[in-house]
Amino acid sequence: MPLPFLHRLRDRTLHSPQPSLPRGAGALDLCVNDPVGLAMAGVGISVRDAHGQEVTHGLTDPNGRLTVTLPPGGYRLVVTSDGFSPVRCEAEVVAGERTVQRPVTLELAPAVPLPEPGQWRIDPDHSAIRFAARHIGLADIYGRFNTFEGGLWIGERMQDSRVEVTIDAASLDTGVRMRDDHLRSAEFLDVARFPYLQFAGDKFVHKGGSRWAVQGVLHLHGVSRNVQLDTRYLGIGTGMAGETRTACRAVTELHREDFTLDWRKMLARGIAAIGATIRIDLDIQAVRPE
């Protein structure tokens, strides 16, 4: 390709006009940096109106930028990223113009106090273990396990901690008795033979900010597999009776074939009763034993 043509193409690209704005709208250009001035990708930005209602939201691109098109008026911006203190600022959007907001610099958030070393008991009355699975290739169905127990043993270093949870398989509850009986049957979980699900995690890996990966082994349906819980630590609080509590949220995905949950009778009839993956969500509170 002739070199002059390349030069013309480059010049046309560099000087090409930006996309025109919709009639009566303006644009807001935002840039987010870390404490040393480097662009931050994946930062959440919520744009709210004067009444505090969210108008739109988005994430910064690899260059730390986000552009949104809005009706003219005043807006409040909330900039958040895990491990950093949120920033709130205001912006004014003018019809037909692109407003370049002053760059936002995020500062590291103060470290959240970790639980004291020692034993902590999971409080089932203030915790939940839920699941979601795709039903016959259509909508998701949701359920929970109502009966479980377990504990945390916090090490002198958080990385040396461990967790154990035992779940009563028969306590499965999707809100439909016929479906629950089917899921408990030998065709699915077979709770008569495998009455418990058990998770034992002994590797806590800090992923930055309040995020941790808890790695361990899940025993389900007579099979043991390595599982990682993507966990968000929520800190320390005081309960109604003055007790000290700690809390976290965690999520993981299980592949049913890994636990020999093939359900061949239904698959033989061409019915994929449950999707290939099952999402598990946990909301956990734990207290120090008396």
Side-chain angles (χ1 to χ4, degrees):
M1 186 178 294
L3 188 59
F5 178 80
L6 287 177
H7 287 161
R8 290 196 301 273
L9 180 62
R10 183 193 64 184
D11 292 341
R12 198 157 49 237
T13 301
L14 290 175
H15 300 289
S16 59
Q18 293 181 333
S20 59
L21 295 171
R23 182 183 298 273
L28 185 63
D29 292 330
L30 305 153
C31 178
V32 181
N33 298 325
D34 67 11
V36 296
L38 298 178
M40 292 184 63
V43 175
I45 299 176
S46 173
V47 181
R48 304 178 182 183
D49 61 21
H51 303 290
Q53 297 295 316
E54 185 174 76
V55 177
T56 187
H57 68 274
L59 300 175
T60 56
D61 65 17
N63 296 314
R65 297 184 178 278
L66 176 69
T67 298
V68 291
T69 303
L70 298 163
Y75 294 91
R76 299 171 182 173
L77 313 178
V78 182
V79 184
T80 57
S81 184
D82 190 49
F84 294 84
S85 296
V87 171
R88 294 171 174 82
C89 55
E90 296 185 353
E92 187 74 24
V93 175
V94 179
E97 296 185 10
R98 308 183 72 88
T99 301
V100 179
Q101 187 75 0
R102 182 178 178 180
V104 172
T105 299
L106 295 185
E107 300 294 340
L108 289 173
V112 178
L114 295 174
E116 292 182 3
Q119 183 178 357
W120 294 72
R121 178 183 59 85
I122 292 176
D123 178 7
D125 293 336
H126 295 89
S127 301
I129 299 178
R130 296 178 293 267
F131 60 86
R134 183 59 55 90
H135 180 240
I136 62 171
L138 297 175
D140 287 343
I141 60 170
Y142 298 88
R144 60 185 292 154
F145 291 97
N146 291 324
T147 304
F148 53 90
E149 62 181 15
L152 295 160
W153 288 264
I154 305 300
E156 293 294 335
R157 296 191 321 140
M158 193 66 180
Q159 289 83 347
D160 298 329
S161 303
R162 61 187 177 92
V163 58
E164 293 181 4
V165 181
T166 298
I167 303 169
D168 181 358
S171 71
L172 174 146
D173 182 0
T174 67
V176 179
R177 181 174 179 179
M178 182 179 296
R179 179 168 60 205
D180 293 347
D181 289 342
H182 195 195
L183 291 173
R184 296 184 186 107
S185 72
E187 212 170 58
F188 286 82
L189 290 179
D190 197 359
V191 301
R193 291 180 59 204
F194 309 108
Y196 299 107
L197 294 73
Q198 294 177 307
F199 175 75
D202 60 0
K203 189 173 183 181
F204 285 53
V205 180
H206 191 210
K207 308 297 285 187
S210 61
R211 294 177 296 119
W212 292 77
V214 179
Q215 300 169 355
V217 176
L218 176 65
H219 306 279
L220 166 62
H221 202 248
V223 178
S224 300
R225 290 285 186 268
N226 292 326
V227 169
Q228 175 171 298
L229 303 180
D230 295 321
T231 305
R232 183 179 295 274
Y233 173 61
L234 301 178
I236 301 290
T238 302
M240 295 294 292
E243 76 280 10
T244 301
R245 292 178 171 270
T246 188
C248 69
R249 291 175 181 162
V251 62
T252 190
E253 279 196 348
L254 306 181
H255 298 271
R256 56 178 172 78
E257 295 90 347
D258 290 345
F259 297 92
T260 67
L261 299 175
D262 294 327
W263 307 315
R264 299 181 187 280
K265 291 182 181 179
M266 300 195 76
L267 289 173
R269 302 202 304 267
I271 303 174
I274 300 295
T277 61
I278 300 171
R279 178 185 171 94
I280 307 293
D281 291 282
L282 304 97
D283 282 283
I284 301 296
Q285 286 193 37
V287 296
R288 295 298 297 266
E290 294 182 2

